[in-house]
Short mmCIF file of all heavy atoms in Angstrom, two decimals:
data_model
loop_
_atom_site.label_atom_id
_atom_site.label_comp_id
_atom_site.label_asym_id
_atom_site.label_seq_id
_atom_site.Cartn_x
_atom_site.Cartn_y
_atom_site.Cartn_z
N MET A 195 10.30 -15.01 -6.95
CA MET A 195 9.19 -14.23 -7.61
C MET A 195 8.86 -13.06 -6.80
O MET A 195 8.77 -13.08 -5.60
CB MET A 195 8.03 -15.24 -7.74
CG MET A 195 6.72 -14.54 -8.18
SD MET A 195 5.33 -15.59 -8.40
CE MET A 195 4.98 -16.11 -6.69
N LYS A 196 8.73 -11.92 -7.49
CA LYS A 196 8.43 -10.72 -6.85
C LYS A 196 7.02 -10.23 -7.27
O LYS A 196 6.60 -10.67 -8.37
CB LYS A 196 9.38 -9.54 -7.17
CG LYS A 196 10.71 -9.69 -6.53
CD LYS A 196 11.51 -8.48 -6.67
CE LYS A 196 12.84 -8.55 -5.87
NZ LYS A 196 13.58 -7.36 -5.86
N GLN A 197 6.38 -9.49 -6.43
CA GLN A 197 5.01 -9.04 -6.76
C GLN A 197 4.98 -7.52 -6.41
O GLN A 197 5.53 -7.11 -5.47
CB GLN A 197 3.99 -9.77 -5.89
CG GLN A 197 2.58 -9.53 -6.19
CD GLN A 197 1.70 -10.40 -5.38
OE1 GLN A 197 1.99 -10.65 -4.13
NE2 GLN A 197 0.65 -10.86 -5.95
N LYS A 198 4.24 -6.81 -7.35
CA LYS A 198 4.03 -5.39 -7.11
C LYS A 198 2.49 -5.13 -6.90
O LYS A 198 1.67 -5.56 -7.73
CB LYS A 198 4.57 -4.59 -8.28
CG LYS A 198 4.30 -3.03 -8.05
CD LYS A 198 5.01 -2.25 -9.21
CE LYS A 198 4.03 -2.02 -10.33
NZ LYS A 198 4.59 -1.01 -11.28
N VAL A 199 2.25 -4.42 -5.80
CA VAL A 199 0.81 -4.13 -5.48
C VAL A 199 0.76 -2.55 -5.41
O VAL A 199 1.58 -1.95 -4.79
CB VAL A 199 0.39 -4.70 -4.13
CG1 VAL A 199 -0.95 -4.27 -3.71
CG2 VAL A 199 0.59 -6.25 -4.12
N VAL A 200 -0.31 -2.03 -5.98
CA VAL A 200 -0.61 -0.57 -5.88
C VAL A 200 -1.96 -0.34 -5.26
O VAL A 200 -2.94 -1.01 -5.71
CB VAL A 200 -0.51 0.09 -7.28
CG1 VAL A 200 -0.86 1.57 -7.17
CG2 VAL A 200 0.79 -0.12 -7.95
N ILE A 201 -1.95 0.38 -4.20
CA ILE A 201 -3.17 0.72 -3.50
C ILE A 201 -3.37 2.21 -3.35
O ILE A 201 -2.43 2.87 -2.88
CB ILE A 201 -3.21 0.05 -2.03
CG1 ILE A 201 -2.98 -1.48 -2.11
CG2 ILE A 201 -4.39 0.39 -1.30
CD1 ILE A 201 -2.81 -2.16 -0.80
N GLU A 202 -4.52 2.70 -3.78
CA GLU A 202 -4.83 4.17 -3.62
C GLU A 202 -5.36 4.31 -2.22
O GLU A 202 -6.34 3.68 -1.78
CB GLU A 202 -5.84 4.53 -4.65
CG GLU A 202 -6.07 5.99 -4.65
CD GLU A 202 -7.04 6.37 -5.82
OE1 GLU A 202 -6.87 5.81 -6.92
OE2 GLU A 202 -7.81 7.30 -5.57
N VAL A 203 -4.81 5.29 -1.47
CA VAL A 203 -5.27 5.51 -0.12
C VAL A 203 -5.50 7.02 0.10
O VAL A 203 -4.81 7.90 -0.40
CB VAL A 203 -4.08 5.11 0.83
CG1 VAL A 203 -4.54 5.26 2.32
CG2 VAL A 203 -3.64 3.71 0.60
N ASP A 204 -6.57 7.37 0.84
CA ASP A 204 -6.92 8.71 1.18
C ASP A 204 -6.13 9.14 2.38
O ASP A 204 -6.59 8.80 3.49
CB ASP A 204 -8.42 8.89 1.35
CG ASP A 204 -8.83 10.29 1.57
OD1 ASP A 204 -8.11 11.18 1.18
OD2 ASP A 204 -9.96 10.51 2.14
N MET A 205 -4.97 9.71 2.20
CA MET A 205 -4.16 10.17 3.29
C MET A 205 -4.20 11.71 3.44
O MET A 205 -3.73 12.47 2.63
CB MET A 205 -2.72 9.75 3.04
CG MET A 205 -2.55 8.24 2.95
SD MET A 205 -0.94 7.65 2.51
CE MET A 205 -0.98 7.91 0.77
N LYS A 206 -4.87 12.08 4.50
CA LYS A 206 -5.14 13.51 4.68
C LYS A 206 -4.02 14.32 5.28
O LYS A 206 -3.83 15.52 5.12
CB LYS A 206 -6.40 13.73 5.53
CG LYS A 206 -7.65 13.21 4.92
CD LYS A 206 -8.81 13.35 5.85
CE LYS A 206 -10.13 12.99 5.23
NZ LYS A 206 -10.41 11.59 5.11
N ASN A 207 -3.12 13.65 6.02
CA ASN A 207 -2.02 14.33 6.74
C ASN A 207 -0.85 13.35 6.87
O ASN A 207 -0.93 12.16 6.47
CB ASN A 207 -2.53 14.88 8.12
CG ASN A 207 -3.13 13.80 8.95
OD1 ASN A 207 -2.66 12.68 9.00
ND2 ASN A 207 -4.19 14.20 9.60
N ASN A 208 0.23 13.91 7.47
CA ASN A 208 1.43 13.05 7.67
C ASN A 208 1.19 11.89 8.66
O ASN A 208 1.86 10.87 8.48
CB ASN A 208 2.58 13.94 8.15
CG ASN A 208 3.13 14.81 7.10
OD1 ASN A 208 3.00 14.50 5.90
ND2 ASN A 208 3.70 15.95 7.47
N LYS A 209 0.30 12.04 9.58
CA LYS A 209 0.00 11.01 10.51
C LYS A 209 -0.64 9.75 9.68
O LYS A 209 -0.22 8.60 9.95
CB LYS A 209 -0.99 11.46 11.52
CG LYS A 209 -1.31 10.40 12.57
CD LYS A 209 -2.25 10.92 13.66
CE LYS A 209 -2.62 9.87 14.67
NZ LYS A 209 -3.51 10.35 15.70
N HIS A 210 -1.53 10.05 8.75
CA HIS A 210 -2.05 8.97 7.94
C HIS A 210 -0.99 8.36 7.06
O HIS A 210 -0.96 7.11 6.84
CB HIS A 210 -3.20 9.54 7.07
CG HIS A 210 -4.48 9.73 7.78
ND1 HIS A 210 -5.39 10.62 7.38
CD2 HIS A 210 -4.92 9.30 8.99
CE1 HIS A 210 -6.39 10.64 8.22
NE2 HIS A 210 -6.14 9.95 9.23
N ARG A 211 -0.07 9.17 6.49
CA ARG A 211 1.01 8.60 5.72
C ARG A 211 1.84 7.70 6.50
O ARG A 211 2.22 6.56 6.11
CB ARG A 211 1.85 9.72 5.10
CG ARG A 211 1.16 10.50 4.04
CD ARG A 211 2.22 11.53 3.48
NE ARG A 211 1.51 12.44 2.57
CZ ARG A 211 1.08 12.15 1.34
NH1 ARG A 211 1.33 11.01 0.88
NH2 ARG A 211 0.53 13.00 0.54
N SER A 212 2.25 8.06 7.75
CA SER A 212 3.06 7.23 8.60
C SER A 212 2.32 5.98 8.95
O SER A 212 2.96 4.88 8.91
CB SER A 212 3.39 8.01 9.85
OG SER A 212 4.20 9.08 9.62
N LYS A 213 1.06 6.02 9.23
CA LYS A 213 0.29 4.82 9.57
C LYS A 213 0.21 3.89 8.41
O LYS A 213 0.35 2.70 8.55
CB LYS A 213 -1.14 5.24 10.06
CG LYS A 213 -1.87 4.16 10.72
CD LYS A 213 -1.21 3.70 11.94
CE LYS A 213 -2.03 2.65 12.69
NZ LYS A 213 -1.38 2.14 13.85
N ALA A 214 -0.01 4.44 7.16
CA ALA A 214 -0.12 3.61 6.00
C ALA A 214 1.15 2.84 5.73
O ALA A 214 1.16 1.68 5.42
CB ALA A 214 -0.51 4.51 4.81
N LEU A 215 2.33 3.61 5.86
CA LEU A 215 3.59 2.99 5.72
C LEU A 215 3.84 1.79 6.77
O LEU A 215 4.28 0.74 6.42
CB LEU A 215 4.80 3.96 5.86
CG LEU A 215 5.10 4.83 4.67
CD1 LEU A 215 6.08 5.88 5.02
CD2 LEU A 215 5.54 4.01 3.53
N GLU A 216 3.47 2.04 7.96
CA GLU A 216 3.63 1.08 8.99
C GLU A 216 2.82 -0.22 8.72
O GLU A 216 3.33 -1.31 8.81
CB GLU A 216 3.24 1.72 10.38
CG GLU A 216 3.31 0.78 11.48
CD GLU A 216 2.81 1.42 12.83
OE1 GLU A 216 2.74 2.70 12.92
OE2 GLU A 216 2.54 0.66 13.74
N ILE A 217 1.56 0.05 8.32
CA ILE A 217 0.70 -1.09 8.03
C ILE A 217 1.24 -1.95 6.92
O ILE A 217 1.31 -3.17 7.00
CB ILE A 217 -0.73 -0.57 7.63
CG1 ILE A 217 -1.45 -0.10 8.90
CG2 ILE A 217 -1.57 -1.70 7.00
CD1 ILE A 217 -2.68 0.71 8.63
N ALA A 218 1.72 -1.30 5.81
CA ALA A 218 2.26 -1.99 4.68
C ALA A 218 3.57 -2.76 5.02
O ALA A 218 3.77 -3.89 4.64
CB ALA A 218 2.45 -1.03 3.54
N LEU A 219 4.45 -2.09 5.74
CA LEU A 219 5.76 -2.70 6.05
C LEU A 219 5.66 -3.85 7.03
O LEU A 219 6.54 -4.68 7.04
CB LEU A 219 6.70 -1.60 6.60
CG LEU A 219 7.18 -0.68 5.51
CD1 LEU A 219 7.95 0.53 6.25
CD2 LEU A 219 8.14 -1.29 4.60
N LEU A 220 4.63 -3.92 7.82
CA LEU A 220 4.54 -5.01 8.81
C LEU A 220 4.05 -6.30 8.21
O LEU A 220 4.16 -7.37 8.91
CB LEU A 220 3.59 -4.59 9.98
CG LEU A 220 4.20 -3.54 10.97
CD1 LEU A 220 3.19 -3.08 11.95
CD2 LEU A 220 5.47 -3.98 11.55
N LYS A 221 3.59 -6.33 6.95
CA LYS A 221 3.06 -7.60 6.36
C LYS A 221 4.21 -8.42 5.94
O LYS A 221 5.32 -7.91 5.47
CB LYS A 221 2.19 -7.26 5.17
CG LYS A 221 0.90 -6.67 5.55
CD LYS A 221 0.03 -7.71 6.27
CE LYS A 221 -1.32 -7.24 6.56
NZ LYS A 221 -2.15 -8.21 7.23
N ASN A 222 4.04 -9.75 6.04
CA ASN A 222 5.09 -10.73 5.63
C ASN A 222 5.36 -10.54 4.16
O ASN A 222 4.44 -10.43 3.27
CB ASN A 222 4.60 -12.13 5.94
CG ASN A 222 4.64 -12.42 7.36
OD1 ASN A 222 5.40 -11.86 8.18
ND2 ASN A 222 3.81 -13.39 7.80
N GLY A 223 6.62 -10.63 3.79
CA GLY A 223 7.11 -10.60 2.43
C GLY A 223 7.31 -9.25 1.74
O GLY A 223 7.81 -9.11 0.70
N VAL A 224 6.88 -8.20 2.50
CA VAL A 224 6.99 -6.84 1.94
C VAL A 224 8.52 -6.48 1.93
O VAL A 224 9.14 -6.43 3.09
CB VAL A 224 6.17 -5.86 2.68
CG1 VAL A 224 6.47 -4.43 2.16
CG2 VAL A 224 4.67 -6.14 2.43
N VAL A 225 9.02 -5.99 0.86
CA VAL A 225 10.42 -5.59 0.80
C VAL A 225 10.57 -4.09 0.79
O VAL A 225 11.44 -3.51 1.43
CB VAL A 225 11.12 -6.22 -0.50
CG1 VAL A 225 12.52 -5.68 -0.69
CG2 VAL A 225 11.02 -7.66 -0.52
N SER A 226 9.63 -3.37 0.01
CA SER A 226 9.76 -1.93 -0.02
C SER A 226 8.34 -1.30 -0.24
O SER A 226 7.47 -1.98 -0.81
CB SER A 226 10.72 -1.50 -1.20
OG SER A 226 10.08 -1.76 -2.42
N VAL A 227 8.22 -0.10 0.17
CA VAL A 227 6.98 0.66 0.02
C VAL A 227 7.32 2.04 -0.38
O VAL A 227 8.28 2.68 0.17
CB VAL A 227 6.15 0.68 1.40
CG1 VAL A 227 4.86 1.50 1.21
CG2 VAL A 227 5.90 -0.73 1.85
N ALA A 228 6.61 2.54 -1.37
CA ALA A 228 6.86 3.96 -1.83
C ALA A 228 5.60 4.67 -2.22
O ALA A 228 4.58 3.99 -2.51
CB ALA A 228 7.79 3.93 -3.06
N PHE A 229 5.52 5.94 -2.04
CA PHE A 229 4.37 6.75 -2.53
C PHE A 229 4.54 7.09 -3.94
O PHE A 229 5.58 7.45 -4.43
CB PHE A 229 4.32 8.02 -1.65
CG PHE A 229 3.94 7.82 -0.17
CD1 PHE A 229 4.95 8.03 0.74
CD2 PHE A 229 2.74 7.42 0.23
CE1 PHE A 229 4.64 7.85 2.09
CE2 PHE A 229 2.42 7.22 1.48
CZ PHE A 229 3.40 7.39 2.49
N ARG A 230 3.45 6.89 -4.68
CA ARG A 230 3.41 7.20 -6.11
C ARG A 230 2.12 8.00 -6.46
O ARG A 230 1.31 8.17 -5.60
CB ARG A 230 3.33 5.90 -6.97
CG ARG A 230 4.61 4.97 -6.69
CD ARG A 230 5.73 5.47 -7.48
NE ARG A 230 6.85 4.45 -7.34
CZ ARG A 230 8.00 4.72 -6.88
NH1 ARG A 230 8.29 5.99 -6.48
NH2 ARG A 230 8.93 3.84 -6.83
N GLY A 231 2.10 8.44 -7.74
CA GLY A 231 0.95 9.14 -8.20
C GLY A 231 1.20 10.66 -8.16
O GLY A 231 2.07 11.13 -7.52
N GLU A 232 0.36 11.42 -8.77
CA GLU A 232 0.44 12.86 -8.82
C GLU A 232 0.33 13.52 -7.41
O GLU A 232 1.05 14.42 -7.10
CB GLU A 232 -0.57 13.46 -9.75
CG GLU A 232 -0.34 13.18 -11.22
CD GLU A 232 -1.44 13.80 -12.04
OE1 GLU A 232 -2.20 14.75 -11.62
OE2 GLU A 232 -1.60 13.37 -13.22
N ARG A 233 -0.65 13.03 -6.64
CA ARG A 233 -0.82 13.55 -5.31
C ARG A 233 -0.12 12.70 -4.24
O ARG A 233 -0.46 12.87 -3.08
CB ARG A 233 -2.31 13.63 -5.03
CG ARG A 233 -3.07 14.56 -5.98
CD ARG A 233 -4.49 14.60 -5.72
NE ARG A 233 -5.04 13.40 -5.04
CZ ARG A 233 -6.29 13.21 -4.80
NH1 ARG A 233 -7.19 14.12 -5.11
NH2 ARG A 233 -6.65 12.09 -4.19
N LYS A 234 0.67 11.73 -4.62
CA LYS A 234 1.36 10.85 -3.70
C LYS A 234 0.37 10.14 -2.81
O LYS A 234 0.57 9.91 -1.63
CB LYS A 234 2.35 11.60 -2.84
CG LYS A 234 3.42 12.38 -3.59
CD LYS A 234 4.37 11.42 -4.27
CE LYS A 234 5.47 12.15 -4.93
NZ LYS A 234 6.17 11.41 -5.91
N ASN A 235 -0.79 9.74 -3.45
CA ASN A 235 -1.83 9.06 -2.71
C ASN A 235 -1.91 7.55 -3.04
O ASN A 235 -2.86 6.90 -2.65
CB ASN A 235 -3.13 9.71 -2.98
CG ASN A 235 -3.58 9.61 -4.39
OD1 ASN A 235 -2.76 9.36 -5.36
ND2 ASN A 235 -4.88 9.70 -4.67
N GLN A 236 -0.89 7.00 -3.69
CA GLN A 236 -0.80 5.58 -3.97
C GLN A 236 0.43 4.93 -3.32
O GLN A 236 1.51 5.55 -3.37
CB GLN A 236 -0.81 5.34 -5.45
CG GLN A 236 -2.03 5.77 -6.21
CD GLN A 236 -1.94 5.47 -7.70
OE1 GLN A 236 -0.82 5.25 -8.24
NE2 GLN A 236 -3.07 5.51 -8.34
N LEU A 237 0.20 3.82 -2.68
CA LEU A 237 1.28 3.05 -2.15
C LEU A 237 1.63 2.00 -3.10
O LEU A 237 0.80 1.20 -3.58
CB LEU A 237 0.78 2.38 -0.81
CG LEU A 237 0.79 3.21 0.43
CD1 LEU A 237 0.22 2.25 1.58
CD2 LEU A 237 2.05 3.73 0.89
N GLU A 238 2.92 1.99 -3.50
CA GLU A 238 3.46 0.93 -4.33
C GLU A 238 4.24 -0.02 -3.43
O GLU A 238 5.23 0.36 -2.83
CB GLU A 238 4.34 1.52 -5.43
CG GLU A 238 4.91 0.42 -6.35
CD GLU A 238 5.78 1.05 -7.36
OE1 GLU A 238 7.03 1.18 -7.06
OE2 GLU A 238 5.33 1.23 -8.50
N ILE A 239 3.78 -1.23 -3.34
CA ILE A 239 4.32 -2.20 -2.44
C ILE A 239 5.04 -3.28 -3.27
O ILE A 239 4.44 -3.90 -4.09
CB ILE A 239 3.30 -2.84 -1.56
CG1 ILE A 239 2.57 -1.68 -0.72
CG2 ILE A 239 3.85 -3.87 -0.60
CD1 ILE A 239 1.24 -2.18 -0.14
N ILE A 240 6.27 -3.54 -2.97
CA ILE A 240 7.03 -4.61 -3.65
C ILE A 240 7.33 -5.65 -2.57
O ILE A 240 7.79 -5.41 -1.47
CB ILE A 240 8.37 -4.14 -4.20
CG1 ILE A 240 8.18 -2.92 -5.10
CG2 ILE A 240 9.13 -5.25 -4.92
CD1 ILE A 240 7.51 -3.19 -6.42
N GLY A 241 7.04 -6.93 -2.94
CA GLY A 241 7.21 -8.06 -2.08
C GLY A 241 7.79 -9.29 -2.68
O GLY A 241 7.72 -9.46 -3.84
N GLU A 242 8.41 -10.10 -1.84
CA GLU A 242 8.92 -11.39 -2.27
C GLU A 242 7.84 -12.40 -2.05
O GLU A 242 7.14 -12.46 -1.03
CB GLU A 242 10.14 -11.80 -1.43
CG GLU A 242 11.45 -11.06 -1.75
CD GLU A 242 11.99 -11.40 -3.08
OE1 GLU A 242 11.76 -12.53 -3.58
OE2 GLU A 242 12.67 -10.51 -3.60
N GLY A 243 7.61 -13.29 -3.10
CA GLY A 243 6.52 -14.22 -2.97
C GLY A 243 5.13 -13.59 -3.13
O GLY A 243 5.01 -12.59 -3.80
N ILE A 244 4.23 -14.22 -2.37
CA ILE A 244 2.82 -13.70 -2.44
C ILE A 244 2.64 -12.65 -1.36
O ILE A 244 2.78 -13.01 -0.11
CB ILE A 244 1.84 -14.86 -2.32
CG1 ILE A 244 2.09 -15.86 -3.41
CG2 ILE A 244 0.40 -14.33 -2.34
CD1 ILE A 244 1.87 -15.37 -4.84
N VAL A 245 2.20 -11.46 -1.70
CA VAL A 245 1.86 -10.43 -0.71
C VAL A 245 0.33 -10.38 -0.57
O VAL A 245 -0.39 -10.46 -1.55
CB VAL A 245 2.39 -9.04 -1.24
CG1 VAL A 245 2.03 -7.95 -0.29
CG2 VAL A 245 3.84 -9.04 -1.42
N ASP A 246 -0.09 -10.33 0.68
CA ASP A 246 -1.56 -10.23 1.00
C ASP A 246 -2.16 -8.93 0.68
O ASP A 246 -2.29 -8.12 1.56
CB ASP A 246 -1.78 -10.67 2.44
CG ASP A 246 -3.23 -10.77 2.82
OD1 ASP A 246 -4.05 -10.72 1.88
OD2 ASP A 246 -3.58 -10.79 4.00
N ALA A 247 -2.39 -8.65 -0.61
CA ALA A 247 -2.84 -7.31 -1.07
C ALA A 247 -4.20 -6.96 -0.43
O ALA A 247 -4.43 -5.85 0.00
CB ALA A 247 -2.94 -7.32 -2.57
N THR A 248 -5.13 -7.92 -0.36
CA THR A 248 -6.46 -7.62 0.13
C THR A 248 -6.34 -7.38 1.65
O THR A 248 -7.08 -6.53 2.20
CB THR A 248 -7.45 -8.73 -0.13
OG1 THR A 248 -6.89 -9.97 0.33
CG2 THR A 248 -7.70 -8.85 -1.55
N GLY A 249 -5.51 -8.06 2.34
CA GLY A 249 -5.27 -7.86 3.76
C GLY A 249 -4.75 -6.51 4.10
O GLY A 249 -5.17 -5.89 5.02
N ILE A 250 -3.77 -6.10 3.24
CA ILE A 250 -3.24 -4.72 3.46
C ILE A 250 -4.30 -3.65 3.22
O ILE A 250 -4.48 -2.67 3.98
CB ILE A 250 -2.03 -4.51 2.55
CG1 ILE A 250 -0.86 -5.43 2.90
CG2 ILE A 250 -1.51 -3.07 2.59
CD1 ILE A 250 0.24 -5.48 1.96
N ALA A 251 -5.05 -3.84 2.12
CA ALA A 251 -6.15 -2.88 1.79
C ALA A 251 -7.18 -2.80 2.96
O ALA A 251 -7.67 -1.73 3.29
CB ALA A 251 -6.81 -3.23 0.46
N GLU A 252 -7.62 -3.94 3.49
CA GLU A 252 -8.58 -4.02 4.56
C GLU A 252 -7.99 -3.26 5.80
O GLU A 252 -8.77 -2.46 6.42
CB GLU A 252 -8.88 -5.44 4.92
CG GLU A 252 -9.78 -6.07 3.95
CD GLU A 252 -10.05 -7.50 4.21
OE1 GLU A 252 -9.84 -7.91 5.41
OE2 GLU A 252 -10.58 -8.28 3.31
N ASN A 253 -6.77 -3.54 6.09
CA ASN A 253 -6.15 -2.83 7.30
C ASN A 253 -6.08 -1.34 7.13
O ASN A 253 -6.33 -0.51 7.99
CB ASN A 253 -4.73 -3.37 7.64
CG ASN A 253 -4.80 -4.67 8.35
OD1 ASN A 253 -5.83 -5.03 8.87
ND2 ASN A 253 -3.68 -5.39 8.41
N LEU A 254 -5.78 -0.91 5.89
CA LEU A 254 -5.74 0.54 5.59
C LEU A 254 -7.08 1.14 5.73
O LEU A 254 -7.15 2.26 6.26
CB LEU A 254 -5.15 0.79 4.15
CG LEU A 254 -3.65 0.49 3.99
CD1 LEU A 254 -3.25 0.44 2.52
CD2 LEU A 254 -2.83 1.57 4.75
N ARG A 255 -8.14 0.47 5.26
CA ARG A 255 -9.50 0.99 5.42
C ARG A 255 -9.84 1.16 6.82
O ARG A 255 -10.49 2.14 7.22
CB ARG A 255 -10.47 0.03 4.77
CG ARG A 255 -10.53 0.16 3.24
CD ARG A 255 -11.60 -0.72 2.63
NE ARG A 255 -11.31 -0.96 1.27
CZ ARG A 255 -10.91 -2.13 0.76
NH1 ARG A 255 -10.91 -3.20 1.61
NH2 ARG A 255 -10.59 -2.23 -0.49
N LYS A 256 -9.53 0.24 7.70
CA LYS A 256 -9.86 0.24 9.07
C LYS A 256 -9.11 1.36 9.81
O LYS A 256 -9.68 2.01 10.74
CB LYS A 256 -9.53 -1.05 9.81
CG LYS A 256 -10.54 -2.21 9.41
CD LYS A 256 -10.07 -3.44 10.04
CE LYS A 256 -10.90 -4.67 9.57
NZ LYS A 256 -10.36 -5.86 10.16
N LYS A 257 -7.81 1.53 9.49
CA LYS A 257 -6.97 2.41 10.32
C LYS A 257 -6.62 3.85 9.74
O LYS A 257 -6.29 4.66 10.42
CB LYS A 257 -5.71 1.66 10.68
CG LYS A 257 -6.03 0.45 11.52
CD LYS A 257 -4.75 -0.24 11.90
CE LYS A 257 -5.18 -1.49 12.78
NZ LYS A 257 -4.09 -2.14 13.34
N VAL A 258 -6.83 3.95 8.35
CA VAL A 258 -6.47 5.14 7.74
C VAL A 258 -7.74 5.81 7.07
O VAL A 258 -7.91 7.02 7.20
CB VAL A 258 -5.39 4.96 6.69
CG1 VAL A 258 -5.10 6.26 5.98
CG2 VAL A 258 -4.12 4.44 7.36
N GLY A 259 -8.53 5.01 6.38
CA GLY A 259 -9.71 5.53 5.67
C GLY A 259 -9.84 4.83 4.33
O GLY A 259 -9.51 3.63 4.19
N PHE A 260 -10.30 5.56 3.34
CA PHE A 260 -10.57 4.99 2.02
C PHE A 260 -9.23 4.35 1.48
O PHE A 260 -8.20 4.93 1.50
CB PHE A 260 -11.00 6.07 1.05
CG PHE A 260 -11.10 5.61 -0.41
CD1 PHE A 260 -12.23 4.92 -0.81
CD2 PHE A 260 -10.11 5.78 -1.25
CE1 PHE A 260 -12.35 4.50 -2.15
CE2 PHE A 260 -10.20 5.45 -2.57
CZ PHE A 260 -11.35 4.74 -2.98
N ALA A 261 -9.37 3.12 0.91
CA ALA A 261 -8.29 2.38 0.32
C ALA A 261 -8.83 1.59 -0.79
O ALA A 261 -9.81 0.81 -0.56
CB ALA A 261 -7.51 1.59 1.32
N LYS A 262 -8.28 1.65 -2.00
CA LYS A 262 -8.76 0.88 -3.18
C LYS A 262 -7.57 0.18 -3.82
O LYS A 262 -6.53 0.82 -4.18
CB LYS A 262 -9.37 1.90 -4.19
CG LYS A 262 -9.83 1.20 -5.47
CD LYS A 262 -10.58 2.15 -6.35
CE LYS A 262 -9.62 2.88 -7.22
NZ LYS A 262 -10.16 3.70 -8.25
N LEU A 263 -7.73 -1.11 -3.98
CA LEU A 263 -6.71 -1.86 -4.59
C LEU A 263 -6.67 -1.54 -6.09
O LEU A 263 -7.67 -1.77 -6.82
CB LEU A 263 -7.00 -3.40 -4.37
CG LEU A 263 -5.97 -4.42 -4.76
CD1 LEU A 263 -4.61 -4.07 -3.97
CD2 LEU A 263 -6.42 -5.77 -4.42
N VAL A 264 -5.58 -1.03 -6.59
CA VAL A 264 -5.49 -0.60 -8.00
C VAL A 264 -4.95 -1.66 -8.89
O VAL A 264 -5.49 -1.98 -9.98
CB VAL A 264 -4.64 0.68 -8.16
CG1 VAL A 264 -4.50 1.11 -9.55
CG2 VAL A 264 -5.23 1.78 -7.29
N SER A 265 -3.88 -2.29 -8.52
CA SER A 265 -3.30 -3.36 -9.32
C SER A 265 -2.44 -4.34 -8.54
O SER A 265 -1.89 -3.96 -7.44
CB SER A 265 -2.45 -2.81 -10.55
OG SER A 265 -1.30 -2.13 -9.98
N VAL A 266 -2.34 -5.49 -9.09
CA VAL A 266 -1.38 -6.52 -8.52
C VAL A 266 -0.78 -7.22 -9.75
O VAL A 266 -1.46 -7.71 -10.59
CB VAL A 266 -2.19 -7.62 -7.70
CG1 VAL A 266 -1.23 -8.71 -7.21
CG2 VAL A 266 -2.95 -6.94 -6.55
N GLU A 267 0.58 -7.24 -9.71
CA GLU A 267 1.25 -7.84 -10.87
C GLU A 267 2.54 -8.57 -10.47
O GLU A 267 3.12 -8.22 -9.43
CB GLU A 267 1.55 -6.82 -11.93
CG GLU A 267 2.47 -5.69 -11.55
CD GLU A 267 2.72 -4.68 -12.58
OE1 GLU A 267 1.86 -3.83 -12.78
OE2 GLU A 267 3.73 -4.83 -13.35
N GLN A 268 2.90 -9.54 -11.25
CA GLN A 268 4.11 -10.32 -10.99
C GLN A 268 5.23 -9.66 -11.67
O GLN A 268 5.10 -9.13 -12.79
CB GLN A 268 4.02 -11.73 -11.55
CG GLN A 268 2.81 -12.50 -10.89
CD GLN A 268 3.03 -12.76 -9.40
OE1 GLN A 268 4.14 -12.88 -8.91
NE2 GLN A 268 1.90 -12.74 -8.73
N LEU A 269 6.40 -9.51 -11.00
CA LEU A 269 7.61 -8.96 -11.59
C LEU A 269 8.65 -10.07 -11.86
O LEU A 269 8.63 -11.07 -11.18
CB LEU A 269 8.21 -7.94 -10.63
CG LEU A 269 7.34 -6.77 -10.23
CD1 LEU A 269 8.12 -5.95 -9.22
CD2 LEU A 269 7.01 -5.91 -11.40
N ASN A 270 9.43 -9.89 -12.87
CA ASN A 270 10.44 -10.86 -13.17
C ASN A 270 11.66 -10.70 -12.37
O ASN A 270 12.08 -9.70 -11.88
CB ASN A 270 10.90 -10.74 -14.70
CG ASN A 270 9.75 -11.17 -15.55
OD1 ASN A 270 8.90 -11.94 -15.16
ND2 ASN A 270 9.69 -10.55 -16.81
#
C-alpha cells in the first residue's frame, strides 16, 4: 500500500527547501519527495505503508516555518 501526502510549506530560500527535503526524506517509509504547485511551495511525499504526515508537518513548522497539511490519500 502506498500513500501520498501533500504539505504546503512557506519556503523563502534554497536553505529552507533543502531543510524541508531533508526533514521529509528522513521519515520512515518515505520513498520520494517532490516540489509541486505553481510556486513550488508544496511537498508531495510518496511513502510505503503509513507515513506520519502530522509528524512531518510538525517538524516542518518547527524548523522551516509555516506548514499546512493539504491532503493525505491512499494510492493503488
Side-chain angles (χ1 to χ4, degrees):
M195 172 177 67
K196 286 191 175 187
Q197 188 176 37
K198 179 170 94 170
V199 176
V200 178
I201 302 174
E202 186 175 323
V203 184
D204 185 19
M205 296 176 279
K206 295 178 174 80
N207 54 39
N208 286 335
K209 183 177 178 182
H210 285 159
R211 288 186 189 284
S212 295
K213 190 66 174 174
L215 279 175
E216 180 183 340
I217 289 168
L219 286 171
L220 289 177
K221 288 293 184 178
N222 287 336
V224 173
V225 176
S226 70
V227 179
F229 292 110
R230 299 280 188 239
E232 289 179 20
R233 298 181 333 185
K234 302 291 185 201
N235 64 336
Q236 294 182 343
L237 281 178
E238 181 182 83
I239 302 163
I240 306 294
E242 287 289 335
I244 302 297
V245 176
D246 183 13
T248 55
I250 294 171
E252 285 177 17
N253 280 345
L254 288 168
R255 281 186 203 109
K256 288 178 187 174
K257 298 183 180 185
V258 177
F260 173 83
K262 178 176 86 172
L263 191 57
V264 176
S265 69
V266 178
E267 63 182 82
Q268 300 298 324
L269 302 175
N270 294 331

